[in-house]
Amino acid sequence: YSLLPGVTMGLYVSRSASLGRVLTGGLVLGVLAFSLNWAWQIWQNGLSLGIHAIELIFADYFNYTLYALDISGLSDYYAAQGLSAAVLTDMFKNFQRGLETLRPAWYILEDWARILLAVVLARVVLVRKGILLSPPFTMHRMAWQFDWVIILGLSMWLAGQQWHIGWFEKGGANILLLMTPIVFYFGCSLTVYLYRRFRIRPWIMVILALATLVLPMQTFLFVVVLGVF
Protein backbone atom coordinates (compact mmCIF):
# COMPACT_ATOMS: atom_id res chain seq x y z
CA TYR A 1 0.00 0.00 0.00
CA SER A 2 2.93 2.33 -0.67
CA LEU A 3 1.46 2.99 -4.11
CA LEU A 4 -0.95 5.76 -3.03
CA PRO A 5 1.58 8.01 -1.23
CA GLY A 6 4.21 7.31 -3.91
CA VAL A 7 1.95 8.29 -6.80
CA THR A 8 0.67 11.35 -4.91
CA MET A 9 4.17 12.64 -4.18
CA GLY A 10 5.18 11.97 -7.79
CA LEU A 11 2.27 14.08 -9.06
CA TYR A 12 3.19 16.91 -6.71
CA VAL A 13 6.82 16.78 -7.85
CA SER A 14 5.75 16.84 -11.51
CA ARG A 15 3.85 20.05 -10.77
CA SER A 16 6.90 21.63 -9.09
CA ALA A 17 5.26 21.67 -5.66
CA SER A 18 7.24 22.69 -2.60
CA LEU A 19 8.94 20.17 -0.36
CA GLY A 20 6.39 20.76 2.39
CA ARG A 21 3.43 20.14 0.09
CA VAL A 22 4.99 16.97 -1.34
CA LEU A 23 5.73 15.61 2.12
CA THR A 24 2.29 16.55 3.47
CA GLY A 25 0.59 14.81 0.55
CA GLY A 26 2.67 11.70 1.12
CA LEU A 27 1.93 11.58 4.85
CA VAL A 28 -1.81 12.12 4.42
CA LEU A 29 -2.04 9.45 1.72
CA GLY A 30 0.08 7.18 3.90
CA VAL A 31 -2.63 7.35 6.59
CA LEU A 32 -5.34 6.72 3.98
CA ALA A 33 -3.46 3.75 2.48
CA PHE A 34 -2.92 2.22 5.92
CA SER A 35 -6.60 2.67 6.79
CA LEU A 36 -7.73 1.00 3.57
CA ASN A 37 -5.31 -1.88 4.06
CA TRP A 38 -6.41 -2.33 7.68
CA ALA A 39 -10.08 -2.31 6.68
CA TRP A 40 -9.34 -4.90 3.99
CA GLN A 41 -7.59 -7.17 6.49
CA ILE A 42 -10.49 -6.93 8.93
CA TRP A 43 -13.00 -7.67 6.17
CA GLN A 44 -11.00 -10.65 4.93
CA ASN A 45 -9.90 -12.20 8.21
CA GLY A 46 -11.81 -10.37 10.92
CA LEU A 47 -8.54 -9.84 12.76
CA SER A 48 -7.14 -6.78 14.46
CA LEU A 49 -3.64 -5.45 13.87
CA GLY A 50 -0.79 -7.73 14.81
CA ILE A 51 1.64 -6.90 17.60
CA HIS A 52 4.02 -4.14 16.54
CA ALA A 53 7.79 -4.40 16.94
CA ILE A 54 7.73 -1.57 19.51
CA GLU A 55 5.61 -3.74 21.82
CA LEU A 56 7.98 -6.69 21.43
CA ILE A 57 10.99 -4.49 22.21
CA PHE A 58 9.44 -3.27 25.46
CA ALA A 59 8.37 -6.82 26.38
CA ASP A 60 11.92 -8.13 25.88
CA TYR A 61 13.33 -5.20 27.87
CA PHE A 62 10.94 -5.87 30.77
CA ASN A 63 11.78 -9.59 30.85
CA TYR A 64 15.48 -8.75 30.82
CA THR A 65 14.97 -6.25 33.66
CA LEU A 66 13.26 -8.87 35.83
CA TYR A 67 16.07 -11.32 35.05
CA ALA A 68 18.75 -8.73 35.87
CA LEU A 69 17.07 -7.88 39.18
CA ASP A 70 16.87 -11.55 40.08
CA ILE A 71 20.50 -12.45 39.38
CA SER A 72 21.79 -9.24 41.00
CA GLY A 73 19.90 -9.87 44.23
CA LEU A 74 18.06 -6.56 44.01
CA SER A 75 14.67 -8.23 43.57
CA ASP A 76 14.40 -8.75 47.35
CA TYR A 77 15.26 -5.10 48.00
CA TYR A 78 12.58 -3.85 45.58
CA ALA A 79 10.09 -6.37 46.95
CA ALA A 80 10.63 -4.85 50.40
CA GLN A 81 9.73 -1.48 48.90
CA GLY A 82 6.46 -2.92 47.57
CA LEU A 83 7.76 -3.53 44.06
CA SER A 84 7.64 -7.29 43.88
CA ALA A 85 7.81 -9.19 40.58
CA ALA A 86 4.01 -9.50 40.61
CA VAL A 87 3.55 -5.76 41.13
CA LEU A 88 6.07 -4.92 38.39
CA THR A 89 4.38 -7.37 36.03
CA ASP A 90 1.00 -5.78 36.69
CA MET A 91 2.47 -2.31 36.05
CA PHE A 92 3.98 -3.52 32.78
CA LYS A 93 0.68 -5.05 31.67
CA ASN A 94 -0.98 -1.66 32.13
CA PHE A 95 1.82 -0.05 30.13
CA GLN A 96 1.47 -2.73 27.47
CA ARG A 97 -2.27 -2.03 27.17
CA GLY A 98 -1.37 1.60 26.50
CA LEU A 99 1.01 0.55 23.73
CA GLU A 100 -1.71 -1.67 22.28
CA THR A 101 -4.10 1.28 22.24
CA LEU A 102 -1.57 3.20 20.14
CA ARG A 103 -0.86 0.27 17.80
CA PRO A 104 -2.39 1.91 14.67
CA ALA A 105 -0.25 5.02 15.19
CA TRP A 106 2.92 2.89 15.53
CA TYR A 107 2.24 1.27 12.16
CA ILE A 108 1.50 4.63 10.53
CA LEU A 109 4.67 6.17 11.97
CA GLU A 110 6.61 3.26 10.55
CA ASP A 111 5.14 4.01 7.10
CA TRP A 112 5.84 7.71 7.56
CA ALA A 113 9.49 6.93 8.23
CA ARG A 114 9.70 5.18 4.85
CA ILE A 115 7.96 8.08 3.12
CA LEU A 116 10.29 10.59 4.77
CA LEU A 117 13.34 8.57 3.73
CA ALA A 118 12.06 8.44 0.13
CA VAL A 119 11.51 12.20 0.07
CA VAL A 120 14.95 12.92 1.53
CA LEU A 121 16.64 10.70 -1.05
CA ALA A 122 14.58 12.25 -3.85
CA ARG A 123 15.52 15.73 -2.69
CA VAL A 124 19.23 14.88 -2.81
CA VAL A 125 18.80 14.02 -6.48
CA LEU A 126 16.27 16.66 -7.53
CA VAL A 127 17.37 19.75 -5.61
CA ARG A 128 20.14 20.37 -8.15
CA LYS A 129 17.42 20.70 -10.78
CA GLY A 130 15.54 23.29 -8.73
CA ILE A 131 12.91 20.81 -7.56
CA LEU A 132 11.79 20.14 -3.97
CA LEU A 133 13.18 23.43 -2.72
CA SER A 134 12.45 24.60 0.80
CA PRO A 135 13.23 27.68 2.91
CA PRO A 136 15.91 27.57 5.64
CA PHE A 137 15.13 25.40 8.66
CA THR A 138 14.50 28.40 10.92
CA MET A 139 11.77 29.61 8.55
CA HIS A 140 9.75 26.40 8.62
CA ARG A 141 6.29 27.00 10.07
CA MET A 142 3.52 24.53 10.71
CA ALA A 143 0.33 24.98 8.68
CA TRP A 144 -2.46 26.32 10.90
CA GLN A 145 -4.74 23.46 9.81
CA PHE A 146 -2.60 21.06 11.85
CA ASP A 147 -3.63 22.90 15.01
CA TRP A 148 -7.22 21.83 14.32
CA VAL A 149 -6.07 18.23 13.95
CA ILE A 150 -4.45 18.50 17.38
CA ILE A 151 -7.63 20.05 18.82
CA LEU A 152 -9.66 17.20 17.31
CA GLY A 153 -7.39 14.56 18.79
CA LEU A 154 -7.35 16.20 22.22
CA SER A 155 -11.14 16.63 22.20
CA MET A 156 -11.70 12.99 21.24
CA TRP A 157 -9.26 11.76 23.88
CA LEU A 158 -10.79 13.86 26.68
CA ALA A 159 -14.38 13.09 25.64
CA GLY A 160 -13.60 9.37 25.46
CA GLN A 161 -12.16 9.44 28.98
CA GLN A 162 -15.02 11.53 30.36
CA TRP A 163 -17.83 9.40 28.93
CA HIS A 164 -15.95 6.09 28.80
CA ILE A 165 -16.11 5.71 25.02
CA GLY A 166 -13.20 3.40 24.29
CA TRP A 167 -12.90 3.80 20.53
CA PHE A 168 -13.22 7.61 20.85
CA GLU A 169 -10.43 7.78 23.42
CA LYS A 170 -8.28 5.42 21.36
CA GLY A 171 -8.77 7.47 18.19
CA GLY A 172 -7.84 10.71 19.94
CA ALA A 173 -4.74 9.17 21.52
CA ASN A 174 -3.55 7.89 18.14
CA ILE A 175 -4.09 11.29 16.51
CA LEU A 176 -2.07 13.00 19.25
CA LEU A 177 0.78 10.51 18.92
CA LEU A 178 0.90 11.01 15.14
CA MET A 179 0.97 14.78 15.51
CA THR A 180 3.69 14.77 18.19
CA PRO A 181 6.75 14.28 15.90
CA ILE A 182 5.36 16.82 13.41
CA VAL A 183 4.84 19.44 16.09
CA PHE A 184 8.22 18.65 17.66
CA TYR A 185 9.93 19.31 14.32
CA PHE A 186 8.40 22.76 14.01
CA GLY A 187 9.12 23.42 17.68
CA CYS A 188 12.79 22.70 16.99
CA SER A 189 12.66 25.12 14.07
CA LEU A 190 11.30 27.86 16.31
CA THR A 191 13.83 27.02 19.04
CA VAL A 192 16.76 27.43 16.63
CA TYR A 193 15.23 30.65 15.31
CA LEU A 194 14.92 32.12 18.83
CA TYR A 195 18.50 31.10 19.63
CA ARG A 196 19.86 32.86 16.55
CA ARG A 197 17.54 35.84 16.86
CA PHE A 198 18.30 36.74 20.46
CA ARG A 199 21.90 35.48 20.67
CA ILE A 200 21.54 33.73 24.01
CA ARG A 201 24.61 33.98 26.23
CA PRO A 202 26.86 30.91 26.62
CA TRP A 203 26.22 30.47 30.35
CA ILE A 204 22.47 30.40 29.72
CA MET A 205 23.01 27.76 27.03
CA VAL A 206 24.98 25.66 29.53
CA ILE A 207 22.09 25.85 32.00
CA LEU A 208 19.59 24.92 29.30
CA ALA A 209 21.76 22.00 28.17
CA LEU A 210 22.01 20.68 31.74
CA ALA A 211 18.25 21.09 32.19
CA THR A 212 17.72 19.10 28.99
CA LEU A 213 19.92 16.28 30.28
CA VAL A 214 18.23 16.21 33.69
CA LEU A 215 14.66 16.73 32.43
CA PRO A 216 14.55 15.34 28.86
CA MET A 217 10.80 14.63 28.82
CA GLN A 218 9.92 18.09 30.14
CA THR A 219 12.22 19.65 27.52
CA PHE A 220 10.58 17.58 24.80
CA LEU A 221 7.10 18.68 25.89
CA PHE A 222 8.23 22.32 26.04
CA VAL A 223 9.48 22.15 22.43
CA VAL A 224 6.20 20.48 21.40
CA VAL A 225 4.21 23.32 22.99
CA LEU A 226 6.38 25.83 21.09
CA GLY A 227 5.57 23.99 17.89
CA VAL A 228 1.82 24.13 18.57
CA PHE A 229 1.77 27.85 19.24
Side-chain angles (χ1 to χ4, degrees):
Y1 52 87
S2 299
L3 182 63
L4 284 178
V7 170
T8 302
M9 291 189 294
L11 288 174
Y12 275 124
V13 170
S14 66
R15 297 177 181 178
S16 301
S18 65
L19 176 63
R21 188 174 294 274
V22 171
L23 190 54
T24 300
L27 297 183
V28 171
L29 266 295
V31 174
L32 177 60
F34 168 80
S35 301
L36 293 174
N37 182 66
W38 186 16
W40 174 258
Q41 290 182 6
I42 294 176
W43 184 65
Q44 288 287 316
N45 305 316
L47 300 175
S48 60
L49 289 172
I51 297 176
H52 192 268
I54 290 290
E55 299 173 68
L56 295 176
I57 290 173
F58 276 106
D60 290 341
Y61 177 76
F62 174 74
N63 292 330
Y64 175 78
T65 300
L66 286 183
Y67 173 74
L69 289 176
D70 188 45
I71 63 175
S72 65
L74 292 175
S75 56
D76 294 335
Y77 170 78
Y78 282 104
Q81 308 300 318
L83 295 175
S84 63
V87 173
L88 291 174
T89 301
D90 186 60
M91 292 171 61
F92 177 72
K93 286 182 178 179
N94 291 331
F95 175 71
Q96 203 168 26
R97 280 192 290 269
L99 290 179
E100 183 179 355
T101 298
L102 299 171
R103 189 176 292 173
W106 295 126
Y107 276 101
I108 293 174
L109 287 173
E110 183 180 323
D111 294 336
W112 279 6
R114 298 192 190 98
I115 292 171
L116 180 60
L117 178 61
V119 171
V120 170
L121 293 177
R123 187 171 187 270
V124 172
V125 176
L126 298 175
V127 72
R128 299 174 183 175
K129 299 181 179 180
I131 304 175
L132 291 180
L133 299 177
S134 67
F137 177 65
T138 54
M139 298 302 294
H140 289 189
R141 296 291 179 268
M142 188 173 73
W144 61 268
Q145 291 88 346
F146 281 131
D147 278 329
W148 286 105
V149 177
I150 297 171
I151 292 171
L152 172 64
L154 186 60
S155 300
M156 290 177 62
W157 181 61
L158 293 175
Q161 284 191 328
Q162 178 67 28
W163 291 296
H164 306 289
I165 307 174
W167 66 271
F168 220 60
E169 180 183 355
K170 182 177 180 178
N174 279 268
I175 291 174
L176 291 176
L177 177 59
L178 288 175
M179 290 302 302
T180 298
I182 297 175
V183 175
F184 179 74
Y185 173 85
F186 289 105
C188 289
S189 171
L190 179 57
T191 301
V192 175
Y193 169 80
L194 293 175
Y195 168 73
R196 293 181 178 177
R197 175 67 176 79
F198 294 102
R199 297 181 181 179
I200 301 176
R201 296 181 179 180
W203 64 271
I204 297 180
M205 288 301 302
V206 172
I207 293 177
L208 293 176
L210 292 175
T212 301
L213 292 175
V214 176
L215 304 169
M217 183 56 64
Q218 289 80 350
T219 303
F220 175 80
L221 292 176
F222 176 73
V223 175
V224 166
V225 171
L226 283 181
V228 172
F229 285 98

